[in-house]
Amino acid sequence: MKKFTPVILLLVIVLSAFSMKDSMRTIRNESFSTGEILKYKVHYGPITAAEATIDVSDQLHTINGRPSYRATVYGRTSSSFDIFMKVRDTWQSYIDTAAIVPHRFHRSIEEGSYRKKETVDFNHISNTAAVKVKRKKDPEKTSTHKVSDNVQDIVSGFYYLRTLNYDGMRKGDKLTIKGFFEEENFDMEVTYRGRETVSTKAGKIKAIKLVPKMPANELFKGENAITVYLSDDDNKIPVLIQAEMFVGSIKVDLYEFRNLKHKLVAKK
């Protein structure tokens, strides 16, 4: 009997491997695909303080053996605002095309004299996140953390919101997203607040209104400080974001879009 033990063990390992490959969820995504480009103006009160671009690479990438979208957010202050605080930030997420969860997250932060580079590798089989952080003049630090099933990073969470169907929701309905950011797990509670037509630099657009609940912090004014408007169509792109901060109001306003999966109806 003993001579069959290695064979049985090998069989168990192989079957476990197949089981692991099939263990990730599948989310239907009809809202975005490769090549999408969104551009925004960031207003601080009456001042155009910055610009942001969100794009999905025109090619798929293989991470952890699975096809992934590479979604990148670039943010930079305008030349006139650089004298107050020069910002050159890049946030990037590799998002599984089937499960709509992140496999890898990058952050490169340049804000004034502050510098930080971070990489998070997610393992959705073991539910862990391996973090590497490098700050200016400091040695690189690594750590591993337990995370929830289908955990999201900050970028991938927005793409996940775009895959949801809001037609059956009523005002006040809530949904919760499990997130991981700054080496901590958090629950992002999002409240559906109905539909509105909003004015953007791209035109007047019918939109889905969402309010994510913010934890206590020194940046945003209250737990309902941020309002996100997604286009009320099959794309569900962010068309307007408004935030109340202790130092004033911020508005992130869509002004250009390209390569959407569906036609966006905007009235000039």
Side-chain angles (χ1 to χ4, degrees), residues 58 60 71 81 93 134 143 177 187 192 195 224 236 257:
D58 56 8
L60 293 179
F81 210 80
S93 182
K134 177 69 174 70
S143 58
I177 299 173
D187 289 341
Y192 170 74
R195 286 163 158 85
N224 297 321
K236 300 186 185 75
F257 52 88

Side-chain angles (χ1 to χ4, degrees), residues 35-261:
E36 181 185 86
I37 300 173
L38 308 172
K39 294 187 176 184
Y40 301 85
K41 298 286 188 182
V42 181
H43 304 282
Y44 177 64
I47 303 170
T48 301
E51 291 201 15
T53 299
I54 308 175
D55 70 47
V56 181
S57 171
D58 56 8
Q59 295 181 344
L60 293 179
H61 298 257
T62 301
I63 308 291
N64 294 339
R66 293 177 65 95
S68 303
Y69 300 112
R70 188 186 71 190
T72 308
V73 181
Y74 308 93
R76 57 179 296 149
T77 46
S78 60
S79 56
S80 59
F81 210 80
D82 281 347
I83 58 176
F84 301 104
M85 169 67 79
K86 184 176 180 179
V87 174
R88 301 290 187 270
D89 288 355
T90 302
W91 300 45
Q92 190 173 77
S93 182
Y94 290 84
I95 305 169
D96 191 277
T97 57
I100 315 296
V101 292
H103 288 297
R104 183 170 295 156
F105 173 71
H106 290 299
R107 225 175 9 140
S108 176
I109 305 298
E110 297 182 16
E111 299 176 356
S113 61
Y114 180 78
R115 298 290 184 273
K116 179 179 179 179
K117 292 185 181 296
E118 178 186 45
T119 300
V120 182
D121 282 298
F122 293 95
N123 186 324
H124 294 280
I125 305 303
S126 62
N127 281 358
T128 55
V131 182
K132 294 180 181 179
V133 178
K134 177 69 174 70
R135 290 181 174 85
K136 187 177 181 181
K137 298 181 180 180
D138 292 337
E140 183 179 85
K141 294 182 179 180
T142 61
S143 58
T144 302
H145 307 262
K146 290 293 293 183
V147 295
S148 303
D149 286 340
N150 303 314
V151 71
Q152 301 287 347
D153 61 41
I154 296 295
V155 176
S156 69
F158 272 95
Y159 284 90
Y160 171 69
L161 284 174
R162 292 177 59 185
T163 68
L164 301 181
N165 185 351
Y166 298 93
D167 290 342
M169 288 191 177
R170 297 180 179 179
K171 284 186 178 181
D173 283 355
K174 302 179 187 298
L175 56 97
T176 301
I177 299 173
K178 298 292 185 179
F180 182 79
F181 183 63
E182 291 284 5
E183 302 180 61
E184 291 187 1
N185 291 281
F186 67 93
D187 289 341
M188 176 64 77
E189 184 182 88
V190 180
T191 303
Y192 170 74
R193 291 289 177 86
R195 286 163 158 85
E196 295 181 11
T197 297
V198 296
S199 295
T200 74
K201 289 187 175 297
K204 291 185 177 181
I205 302 172
K206 292 182 179 180
I208 298 162
K209 185 178 181 181
L210 303 175
V211 177
K213 183 178 179 179
M214 300 299 297
N217 60 83
E218 298 179 355
L219 188 61
F220 295 103
K221 194 174 182 180
E223 61 181 25
N224 297 321
I226 297 178
T227 302
V228 179
Y229 294 89
L230 304 181
S231 60
D232 188 9
D233 60 7
D234 291 332
N235 297 296
K236 300 186 185 75
I237 62 171
V239 296
L240 182 67
I241 300 173
Q242 296 175 326
E244 295 298 325
M245 308 175 73
F246 287 109
V247 294
S249 299
I250 297 288
K251 183 171 76 170
V252 182
D253 190 350
L254 178 75
Y255 75 91
E256 185 178 328
F257 52 88
R258 297 201 298 270
N259 306 327
L260 300 185
K261 195 167 184 177

